[in-house]
Amino acid sequence: MQQRRARPWPLPVNVLPSAVRRAALAGLGASGDDLDDASLLIDRTLAEQPDADEDAITTAAEQLKEGRPELFGQSREVVPPAPGGSPAGGPPSRAGVPPKPGAAGLEMARRRGFVTE
């Protein structure tokens, strides 16, 4: 009969709850980097309840899905850009035709009386 070797490192206590949380998030549609982000957010949400049961985890995951649907493959409504002239839309467009090269000098000459046209 062989003896079992002891692990050289202890397993973290929260490995199983973390797997349950990730499974709940994946079941709601999170995947890839979004799954990692959602997992961090739900860990922060349930930080006070390290031994939360599956119902609490599922409830927290559903609340996260309502608040951050982009983590679950859904997109929020696209907000149309602000109209021109408002701060969100950038500077207002310049109205009118741009002056021709030399127009400023010609105007100065007219004001001083050098050109009489």
Side-chain angles (χ1 to χ4, degrees):
M1 184 179 213
Q2 293 181 348
Q3 282 186 322
R4 296 181 79 186
R5 284 182 28 192
R7 290 189 182 108
W9 66 91
L11 282 177
V13 176
N14 62 355
V15 167
L16 185 60
S18 177
V20 171
R21 292 173 184 178
R22 290 179 66 89
L25 293 168
L28 291 174
S31 63
D33 290 338
D34 292 337
L35 177 60
D36 295 336
D37 293 343
S39 178
L40 287 174
L41 288 172
I42 204 166
D43 286 344
R44 289 181 184 168
T45 302
L46 298 173
E48 297 172 359
Q49 306 173 27
D51 57 342
D53 62 345
E54 288 186 35
D55 293 334
I57 292 171
T58 303
T59 303
E62 289 171 353
Q63 289 174 351
L64 182 63
K65 183 176 180 177
E66 289 175 12
R68 300 282 303 272
E70 62 272 5
L71 293 175
F72 297 90
Q74 301 171 354
S75 61
R76 293 185 180 207
E77 290 183 23
V78 176
V79 179
S86 67
S93 60
R94 295 181 179 234
V97 179
K100 293 183 180 179
L106 184 59
E107 183 60 33
M108 281 195 312
R110 279 192 188 118
R111 280 184 281 169
R112 293 181 181 157
F114 296 124
V115 178
T116 56
E117 284 187 41

